[in-house]
Amino acid sequence: MARFSRSDFTLEGFRRQLAHVDALPQLCVLGLVSGIITGAAMVAFRLLLEAGAVFYMPDGNPEGFEGLPPWLRSLLPIIAVSVLGLLLYRQKATAQKMGVGHVIERLSYHQGRFPMRNWLNQWWVGVVSVLGGLSAGREGPAIHLGAAASSGLGVKLRLPNNSLRVLVACGTAAGISASFNTPVAGVIFAMEVVMMEYTLMSFMPVILASTMAALIAQMVYGNEPAFRIPEVVLGSLMNLPWVIVLGLVVGLLAGLFIHISRNKRMQAWPLWLRLACVGVATGVVAWWFPQVQGIGYDSVAAALNNQLDINVLLALMIAKLLITALTVSGGVPIGIIGPTLVIGAATGALGGILGGWLWPDKASDPGIYAMLGMAAMMGAVLQAPLAALMALLELTHTPHVMLPGMLVVVVACLTSRQLTGCEGFFISSVRYGLHPLQQPLMQALSRVSVPAVMERSLVRTERKVTFEQARKLLETNPVWLIIERSNEEKSVLASKASALARWLLEHDEALDGDAPPDNESVDLLEIPGQRLELAPIGLQATLSEAFVKLQDDALGALYVVHGYRPKRQRISGIITRGAIERYYYYSDPNTRTDPKANDSPV
């Protein structure tokens, strides 16, 4: 197991330890720092929302759209999409990507590295979307800001890419935790939705990050649950069939939401037309039902406490679903978890009211159905049942609702997946096969960086050397010879040092004790033996990156480049297909030899 030692209390030693799969203490340190950074960022983002609301919202409440005049709350979405169109969509298409989907994309295809421009855009886009009256949540910006800030710490310190993956998970969990005071749900969400795996090495640092972020947020906002609800219980077991029916309905609604959000026809419309449709549709509905605007947590609290009329509940279930899906399909980068909780709560409350009409003596309070609807909708849309259940528990502080909650979440997830063909909102764009983060091989190889398994015993040499130089190359008993060909060829080959040793021995025997001429040279490419065509790979790269690069049949191995100045780069080692295969099949630390010997690069 990787442990701290005196030699490791340097940044270079810290990086070297992090390259290994068992660098748990080092990752926990990163988790603590990530939680502090993300917690501070989330407090800043919430304060930014509150500061913006002071200018025109009643009592400075970011969710107080009900107190605005109808004309103003209807005008706000049009202003919001206009601002987005003018400031965001004039930038490059790559700079327009934000939210949870962007986090998963960067983790899947860019080793968890985030562009600074997208991170800066997320601050003001999140504020404009929420305060502009669009149907948007704050959890998407929270996750993006937290994940990118944590990853940026690793990039700044030049940490290996396998640790960046954990930092992204830490930032994701910390963002959820600090934004909604749900530390456990933040951890489960990060592992289930973003990382799409459960490993001990990831869980511990993510838990620490989530804890630290929650503590920082509680120092500012207190430790109160997100919703205050009366004590309610399910009551008679006769409610369980109705709970199953609720799960079926919510699963169908979740499938409808995802299909509309991914509608290809609308995405093909001109940008101005899509933005106009989003702004006008939201403004028209907001004229009569301002509850559809913003995050909607005030509406969730009212639904849980049976304080909303049936017409408002219908508007939240149908209109908010359609408007939120329309906004996503129109290309507006919004958070969708908050709106899904609102839609689910309204659907559950309506189901509870209907159940009360049908079985007045046996039916439970509509508030408990609202809670169940929240969890079911979130679980079905994200295909993340465990994260939805943890969110239900922490948002409501009602542990006895977990039993029916598990039933309704499973039914809703199965209905959305099997009957509507939806595999989750954030991975629904993958049509064939598994998402890269769901592939077991790539998951395993992404947990370790190339320094953990590369062969470090090597020497660099030119193609032609004298006999004396050839013998000196073998003095340190290297395994590989790195042969640098001429500048015109611009290529590097690797040859087994044993082939040179064998050839020298045979050559000496052929001379029968006579010394070779001083001017005679040895062409290392003419010596019999196996040679591998090499390509460079960075010292920070993971084994998954090396594995993908070695799919090129023309390459036999990779040489690991160390250093950040092109003219002063060194070669630290060689990694072959065989080394990757041995790690994958024999990765048990009890049976694997320690590859950290001879850490100094050539």
Side-chain angles (χ1 to χ4, degrees):
M1 179 180 292
R3 294 183 175 91
F4 287 114
S5 63
R6 291 183 179 179
S7 63
D8 292 323
F9 283 100
T10 63
L11 184 55
E12 189 62 36
F14 191 66
R15 294 187 189 117
R16 186 171 59 250
Q17 290 286 341
L18 282 170
H20 296 265
V21 72
D22 53 357
L24 185 56
Q26 293 80 7
L27 291 174
C28 287
V29 171
L30 291 178
L32 286 171
V33 177
S34 171
I36 294 171
I37 293 174
T38 304
M42 290 307 96
V43 169
F45 182 69
R46 293 178 67 173
L47 291 175
L48 192 61
L49 285 173
E50 294 168 3
V54 168
F55 291 101
Y56 61 92
M57 299 294 280
D59 301 322
N61 179 14
E63 298 191 68
F65 293 97
E66 295 88 343
L68 295 175
W71 66 268
L72 179 56
R73 64 184 183 232
S74 297
L75 185 62
L76 282 175
I78 299 176
I79 296 175
V81 296
S82 299
V83 171
L84 293 174
L86 290 174
L87 299 183
L88 179 63
Y89 291 99
R90 288 190 173 184
Q91 301 181 32
K92 294 181 179 179
T94 54
Q96 301 168 15
K97 297 180 179 180
M98 279 166 268
V100 183
H102 180 60
V103 172
I104 295 176
E105 178 189 344
R106 301 303 298 187
L107 187 62
S108 303
Y109 304 108
H110 303 278
Q111 302 301 321
R113 297 170 180 267
F114 291 81
M116 176 62 74
R117 177 177 291 185
N118 298 62
W119 188 74
L120 295 175
N121 282 338
Q122 183 65 91
W123 286 91
W124 68 266
V125 170
V127 172
V128 169
S129 299
V130 173
L131 296 182
L134 299 176
S135 180
R138 68 170 181 240
E139 73 292 325
I143 292 169
H144 183 184
L145 294 175
S150 299
S151 173
L153 170 68
V155 172
K156 189 71 175 178
L157 297 178
R158 296 171 179 170
L159 302 182
N161 290 347
N162 63 319
S163 61
L164 294 186
R165 299 180 73 254
V166 179
L167 279 171
V168 169
C170 289
T172 298
I176 289 284
S177 176
S179 188
F180 305 109
N181 194 22
T182 55
V184 179
V187 173
I188 301 301
F189 181 92
M191 305 305 293
E192 191 173 27
V193 178
V194 176
M195 293 283 285
M196 301 184 194
E197 65 176 79
Y198 297 96
T199 60
L200 178 64
M201 293 300 166
S202 298
F203 254 121
M204 288 190 180
V206 171
I207 289 172
L208 288 173
S210 186
T211 301
M212 294 304 300
L215 289 175
I216 290 176
Q218 288 172 12
M219 290 172 60
V220 179
Y221 294 101
N223 191 25
E224 296 296 324
F227 307 115
R228 290 186 173 274
I229 58 175
E231 188 70 22
V232 291
V233 294
L234 184 63
S236 173
L237 293 179
M238 295 295 293
N239 287 279
L240 290 181
W242 198 240
V243 169
I244 295 175
V245 173
L246 175 63
L248 289 168
V249 173
V250 170
L252 294 174
L253 289 175
L256 176 65
F257 174 80
I258 294 175
H259 282 299
I260 296 176
S261 300
R262 302 303 184 194
N263 185 275
K264 298 296 184 182
R265 291 183 179 179
M266 184 175 180
Q267 293 172 1
W269 293 357
L271 175 63
W272 67 269
L273 182 57
R274 284 183 278 143
L275 294 179
C277 288
V278 171
V280 172
T282 306
V284 169
V285 176
W287 182 279
W288 290 280
F289 298 103
Q291 293 85 355
V292 303
Q293 294 184 284
I295 303 172
Y297 271 20
D298 55 343
S299 299
V300 172
L304 293 173
N305 288 275
N306 303 320
Q307 296 173 349
L308 293 180
D309 296 333
I310 292 179
N311 61 336
V312 176
L313 292 174
L314 286 170
L316 291 175
M317 182 181 75
I318 300 173
K320 191 170 182 68
L321 184 149
L322 296 176
I323 288 175
T324 307
L326 180 69
T327 303
V328 174
S329 184
V332 181
I334 61 170
I336 59 102
I337 298 178
T340 59
L341 293 176
V342 178
I343 298 165
T347 305
L350 285 170
I353 293 173
L354 180 58
W357 289 345
L358 297 176
W359 301 288
D361 297 332
K362 299 292 184 180
S364 297
D365 186 273
I368 198 168
Y369 282 97
M371 284 189 277
L372 297 175
M374 287 170 52
M377 192 69 181
M378 177 181 172
V381 169
L382 303 181
Q383 285 296 306
L386 192 55
L389 288 170
M390 290 300 101
L392 171 65
L393 179 62
E394 292 188 292
L395 288 173
T396 64
H397 285 201
T398 311
H400 57 260
V401 80
M402 292 301 288
L403 180 61
M406 289 189 289
L407 179 61
V408 74
V409 167
V410 169
V411 172
C413 289
L414 284 174
T415 301
S416 175
R417 190 180 188 89
Q418 300 301 322
L419 297 186
T420 69
C422 296
E423 297 184 357
F425 181 83
F426 295 116
I427 62 171
S428 58
S429 59
V430 180
R431 296 296 181 185
Y432 305 102
L434 292 176
H435 189 277
L437 294 178
Q438 295 175 310
Q439 299 173 10
L441 172 62
M442 301 309 289
Q443 285 182 353
L445 296 181
S446 295
R447 297 180 192 130
V448 64
S449 287
V450 292
V453 298
M454 70 185 182
E455 176 58 64
R456 291 176 167 84
S457 181
L458 54 86
V459 291
R460 300 173 66 175
T461 178
E462 296 178 355
R463 174 177 176 174
K464 294 184 178 182
V465 295
T466 65
F467 275 86
E468 182 181 357
Q469 290 172 332
R471 290 187 173 89
K472 285 184 177 181
L473 291 175
L474 302 176
E475 288 179 353
T476 58
N477 296 319
V479 175
W480 292 97
L481 300 177
I482 305 298
I483 305 171
E484 298 176 339
R485 292 192 282 193
S486 63
N487 292 333
E488 292 78 11
E489 293 174 288
K490 294 182 179 180
S491 61
V492 179
L493 292 175
S495 176
K496 283 284 188 177
S498 57
L500 175 61
R502 183 172 57 252
W503 185 86
L504 286 174
L505 181 61
E506 294 173 352
H507 189 271
D508 290 343
E509 291 177 351
L511 291 176
D512 195 19
D514 296 332
D518 293 336
N519 58 354
E520 186 176 348
S521 63
V522 178
D523 188 343
L524 297 179
L525 296 186
E526 298 297 329
I527 293 176
Q530 180 186 16
R531 274 174 286 276
L532 303 177
E533 193 78 32
L534 301 184
I537 192 168
L539 188 69
Q540 296 170 290
T542 63
L543 289 189
S544 62
E545 294 176 80
F547 178 79
V548 171
K549 206 163 188 177
L550 284 171
Q551 297 307 300
D552 185 354
D553 293 334
L555 293 178
L558 302 172
Y559 64 94
V560 183
V561 178
H562 185 204
Y564 306 100
R565 297 179 181 178
K567 294 184 178 180
R568 299 182 62 183
Q569 288 183 338
R570 296 169 291 174
I571 296 178
S572 297
I574 285 181
I575 186 162
T576 63
R577 291 186 180 92
I580 297 176
E581 291 172 358
R582 285 192 297 273
Y583 166 78
Y584 182 66
Y585 290 111
Y586 306 104
S587 57
D588 185 350
N590 297 320
T591 61
R592 186 161 33 98
T593 57
D594 188 0
K596 295 180 287 182
N598 189 22
D599 278 330
S600 60
V602 176

